[in-house]
Amino acid sequence: MSIANVKMKEIKVELEEQLHHSYLKQFLQKPVIDEDKLLILISIIEHTNYSEIEKKNYVITTMLVQIALDTHDLVSQNSLKTDSDITRKKRQLTVLAGDYYSGLYYYLLSKLEDIPMIQTLASAIKEINEYKVSFYYKEFKSIHAFMESLKHLESLLILRVAQHMHQSDDSEFTGNWLLIRKLIREKNRYLDKGNSPIFDLITKGPGTHLQNNQIIYTVEKFIHKYTEHVEDTFSHLPMHLHTLKSYVQALTYDNLRKNIKVMEES
């Protein structure tokens, strides 16, 4: 097992300990830790001159920011009068959970006394929230423009941290890979539950007005397209990202094989 994979397991355990809250656990699902973003962050920060404790804390704090942003996204935008008391309580607790996770990363960063990093993350949060407003209400000219905006939104936090640490050589790879993984998650949710926030934007929102019977095939095509982009960037990745490269190559092969099968059956 590589050093990066060992650190990923260790950091994931520590993250879960940080995220644990007995009261929230009674009502809300366990926060999801995006392993793709976690591994990318570890790969980026591992190559810096920070101490081991600083590296770990920078990864954890950045992931706490991401989880806080993701948790706030879970809050329903339309509060219905017919909601039950328990539904309203869950919505309120979800907001508080996002705030709680945000507070954790501020606390950890304050212990490091790294003002520039705090400023980087605070600026990234502001930028992401502003971009979300634009993304959810924008009229896109094409499905490609929609996907490019989604890619930017999905990778923005990591790219800002990478720039702060002067480790942004893999920015194109990062954006393309995180978009692929996002689309796969949304596709699986749509197939399993019949709904997906991103698919709703594509079919019902101000986005692209794609027909429901076209959505899976179209998304599969974009997964295939961005997978090719990822493969094109492999040769340009720095040597220290070999663990990340191996991880992505294994998943790329598996996902591409499944996507081709779905497209052939469509």
Side-chain angles (χ1 to χ4, degrees):
M1 184 178 292
S2 69
I3 294 176
N5 283 331
V6 170
K7 288 190 174 182
M8 183 172 171
K9 289 181 179 296
E10 292 176 351
I11 290 176
K12 189 174 179 182
V13 168
E14 189 158 340
L15 257 175
E16 289 173 342
E17 291 175 354
Q18 293 277 358
L19 293 166
H20 177 78
H21 191 292
S22 58
Y23 182 70
L24 292 175
K25 187 178 179 181
Q26 295 179 48
F27 297 95
L28 302 178
Q29 291 184 342
K30 184 179 178 180
V32 176
I33 298 173
D34 190 320
E35 294 189 358
D36 293 275
K37 292 179 180 177
L38 177 56
L39 182 56
I40 290 173
L41 279 169
I42 291 173
S43 301
I44 290 171
I45 296 176
E46 183 61 26
H47 197 58
T48 65
N49 294 323
Y50 294 108
S51 68
E52 289 303 309
I53 186 64
E54 286 174 328
K55 289 176 182 178
K56 182 177 71 172
N57 280 329
Y58 285 137
V59 172
I60 289 175
T61 51
T62 303
M63 287 303 300
L64 285 172
V65 172
Q66 186 65 64
I67 291 167
L69 290 167
D70 293 342
T71 300
H72 281 141
D73 283 346
L74 295 175
V75 181
S76 175
Q77 295 184 4
N78 298 311
S79 179
L80 301 178
K81 294 181 179 179
T82 55
D83 281 347
S84 64
D85 289 341
I86 190 65
T87 300
R88 283 193 293 272
K89 184 169 186 175
K90 284 184 177 180
R91 181 181 293 110
Q92 293 164 355
L93 284 173
T94 302
V95 174
L96 291 175
D99 294 340
Y100 172 67
Y101 304 146
S102 297
L104 285 175
Y105 90 79
Y106 276 121
Y107 168 70
L108 290 174
L109 277 182
S110 67
K111 291 171 64 177
L112 289 175
E113 299 181 350
D114 189 336
I115 301 302
M117 185 60 173
I118 293 174
Q119 291 173 334
T120 293
L121 290 175
S123 176
I125 292 170
K126 180 176 181 292
E127 187 179 359
I128 288 168
N129 285 330
E130 290 175 349
Y131 198 85
K132 279 181 181 178
V133 174
S134 171
F135 177 75
Y136 286 122
Y137 294 100
K138 182 177 179 180
E139 187 77 33
F140 292 95
K141 293 182 179 179
S142 66
I143 183 69
H144 174 74
F146 177 88
M147 292 296 180
E148 285 294 305
S149 289
L150 179 59
K151 178 174 76 172
H152 182 67
L153 182 58
E154 192 67 13
S155 60
L156 189 51
L157 178 62
I158 289 180
L159 295 182
R160 292 294 175 263
V161 171
Q163 289 168 359
H164 173 78
M165 297 188 170
H166 308 290
Q167 299 288 327
S168 55
D169 293 343
D170 60 337
S171 59
E172 183 180 358
F173 161 83
T174 296
N176 289 331
W177 179 245
L178 292 180
L179 175 63
I180 291 167
R181 299 295 281 167
K182 175 71 171 180
L183 291 177
I184 290 173
R185 288 195 301 272
E186 294 295 318
K187 180 195 72 173
N188 290 338
R189 172 172 174 158
Y190 183 81
L191 292 174
D192 292 341
K193 300 182 179 180
N195 65 77
S196 150
I198 296 301
F199 281 31
D200 285 346
L201 276 177
I202 298 174
T203 58
K204 302 173 186 176
T208 58
H209 308 297
L210 200 66
Q211 297 298 313
N212 283 336
N213 60 0
Q214 300 174 304
I215 187 69
I216 294 296
Y217 179 73
T218 300
V219 168
E220 293 286 359
K221 286 200 302 183
F222 274 95
I223 291 173
H224 180 75
K225 174 183 175 180
Y226 283 100
T227 298
E228 290 181 336
H229 291 340
V230 163
E231 291 175 333
D232 288 342
T233 61
F234 274 156
S235 60
H236 303 295
L237 288 177
M239 288 297 295
H240 65 274
L241 297 180
H242 64 277
T243 299
L244 179 61
K245 181 177 178 179
S246 299
Y247 167 79
V248 169
Q249 283 178 319
L251 285 178
T252 295
Y253 176 78
D254 187 51
N255 291 331
L256 188 57
R257 178 173 51 81
K258 290 178 181 178
N259 291 340
I260 290 174
K261 182 178 179 181
V262 170
M263 290 174 70
E264 288 176 346
E265 293 174 351
S266 300

